[in-house]
Each structure stands twice: as C-alpha cells, then as structure tokens.
C-alpha cells in the first residue's frame, strides 16, 4: 500500500478507508459481512470527480460555451479516462477480488478499475478533505485537459466512416443489458455490422456504452486480416 500512496502523493491517516476503496463487491460478498464493498465510496467519488472537474473548467475557461464544457468534462471523467488513471497507478494489482472475479480476469476489467479510481478519490476526500482529492485529480486527470479540449474523439462517427469505405454496410447498436441501481446504472451495448457483432462496450449512459462499443469495433476491424 505504501507504493500506491507514493503514486497518489497522499498518505492515509485511516488505512481502512483505502482498503475499503480497493474491495470489490465480489470479495465483500465472499467475506460474509466482514468486509464492505467499495460501491458507496464509488458513488461519492463519482460526484467529487465531476464537481472538481466542472469547477476547474468553469473557472479556467470562461469563454467556453456550456456544450463544450459538458463534452470536455465527459471526456475527462468517462470510464476510458479513468482506466488510464488506474493503469498509471497500477491499481489492478491492489484490488481485493472474490475468487470468481479473480479467475474471470477482473483485475483487467475496465469497469472495475474505473470504479476503483472513483472509490480511491472518495477515500482520500474522507481522510484528508477536498484539497487532497483535488491534487490527485489535478495530477492524473486535469493534466490531460488539453487533450480533452481538442474535442474528444467521436468513435461512432469514426466507425461509420470506416465501414462506409465499402457500400451497403449497415451498423446497428443494440442495448444488451443494464446492471446496477438507478443511481449507479451501467449499460452494455453491442454494435453489429451487417448483422454480425463486431464490438461491445459499457458505460454509465447508453451514449457512453455505444461509444465504447464503437471503439472496440474500430480496434477489431483495423486488425490485419479482418
């Protein structure tokens, strides 16, 4: 944990908060009540992250219209962005997972790693206040702001342009399932090309899930031999 604290640039007074932030529901369920999952911390961290990013963009970009502010914030706090943060922190190695989730490759699952980032931010906030959480958000997320302001890539448009190189191509996005409570819903979408699945993705909104599915489809279709 000391290595993770060094990467965060923050030392916890209450180490149990960090342990809680790294405990996935699969592990908590197997503990039969001894451990609490990080879902509540994730809920809090999502709001903290959104508020800090929105406050920063509002104060530092007075000329940006609401639409651009919204798109930039979305690009900075989306699952894809948080997975990058998790990779930089090496967060997957510290997660407490249940046996089934471990065997199923949970340490590399984007949604689990993104949720853990939010949970860690909430743990820092509860332990050291908003200033400490803001420093971490500044270091790992707002430092990529310039890339976000260049307008986040529209994967759906890019996929459409890719498949239209040949005539008669038909793309269709299909909502596969929804998981989680209303306040923390996660959507899973599949994109089909001419009736065959070419990509799947998940997100906290249908639009984000479609973008992630399109991104996966592009990566697959651009592989040599496909």
């Amino acid at each position: 944990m000391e290595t993770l604290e060094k990467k965060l640039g923050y030392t916890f007074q209450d180490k149990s908060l960090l342990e809680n932030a790294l405990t996935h529901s699969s592990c908590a369920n197997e503990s039969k009540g001894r451990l609490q999952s990080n879902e509540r911390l994730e809920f809090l961290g999502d709001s903290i992250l959104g508020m800090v990013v929105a406050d920063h963009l509002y104060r530092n970009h007075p000329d940006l219209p609401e639409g651009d502010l919204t798109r930039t914030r979305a690009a900075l706090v989306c699952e894809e962005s948080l997975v990058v943060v998790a990779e930089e922190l090496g967060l997957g190695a510290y997660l407490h997972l249940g046996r089934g989730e471990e065997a199923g490759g949970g340490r590399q699952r984007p949604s689990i790693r993104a949720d853990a980032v939010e949970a860690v931010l909430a743990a820092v906030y509860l332990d050291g206040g908003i200033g400490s959480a803001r420093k971490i958000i500044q270091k790992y997320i707002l430092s990529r702001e310039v890339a976000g302001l260049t307008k986040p890539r529209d994967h759906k448009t890019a996929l459409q342009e890719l498949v239209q190189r040949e005539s008669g191509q038909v793309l269709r996005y299909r909502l596969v399932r929804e998981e989680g409570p209303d306040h923390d819903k996660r959507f899973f979408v599949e994109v089909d090309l001419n009736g065959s699945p070419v990509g799947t993705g998940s997100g906290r909104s249908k639009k984000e899930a479609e973008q992630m599915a399109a991104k996966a489809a592009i990566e697959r279709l651009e592989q040599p031999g496909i």
Side-chain angles (χ1 to χ4, degrees), residues 174-192:
R174 182 168 60 88
L175 180 65
V176 178
R177 69 182 189 278
E178 302 176 15
E179 293 182 357
D182 289 341
H183 73 270
D184 191 23
K185 188 79 73 177
R186 185 170 295 280
F187 299 87
F188 295 81
V189 166
E190 177 182 274
V191 57
D192 298 337

Side-chain angles (χ1 to χ4, degrees), residues 64-188:
L64 276 184
E66 184 272 340
D68 288 343
L69 290 171
T70 299
R71 281 190 293 273
T72 303
R73 180 183 61 183
L76 292 171
V77 305
C78 71
E79 181 178 286
E80 188 177 5
S81 173
L82 295 182
V83 168
V84 173
V85 176
E87 290 175 350
E88 292 177 356
L89 292 171
L91 208 54
Y94 299 96
L95 294 173
H96 305 310
L97 303 176
R99 290 185 295 274
E101 193 64 60
E102 181 80 65
R107 291 190 189 279
Q108 297 303 315
R109 201 181 304 280
S111 60
I112 290 178
R113 291 189 291 168
D115 290 347
V117 171
E118 292 180 333
V120 168
L121 289 175
V124 171
Y125 165 75
L126 292 174
D127 191 71
I130 191 64
S132 297
R134 190 186 298 273
K135 288 179 181 178
I136 295 172
I137 294 170
Q138 178 67 55
K139 178 180 180 180
Y140 285 101
I141 296 174
L142 291 176
S143 60
R144 301 200 304 275
E145 177 193 340
V146 174
L149 287 174
T150 60
K151 196 174 184 179
R153 187 182 185 195
D154 185 343
H155 297 296
K156 289 182 66 176
T157 298
L159 177 60
Q160 189 71 35
E161 293 172 350
L162 177 63
V163 302
Q164 283 181 343
R165 294 175 184 174
E166 297 182 23
S167 61
Q169 305 295 300
V170 179
L171 283 173
R172 176 174 173 267
Y173 292 86
R174 182 168 60 88
L175 180 65
V176 178
R177 69 182 189 278
E178 302 176 15
E179 293 182 357
D182 289 341
H183 73 270
D184 191 23
K185 188 79 73 177
R186 185 170 295 280
F187 299 87
F188 295 81

Side-chain angles (χ1 to χ4, degrees), residues 23-38 96-98:
T23 302
H24 185 254
S25 58
S26 61
C27 179
N29 292 338
E30 290 184 4
S31 76
K32 298 180 180 179
R34 289 185 297 103
L35 300 174
Q36 183 179 12
S37 82
N38 63 2
H96 305 310
L97 303 176

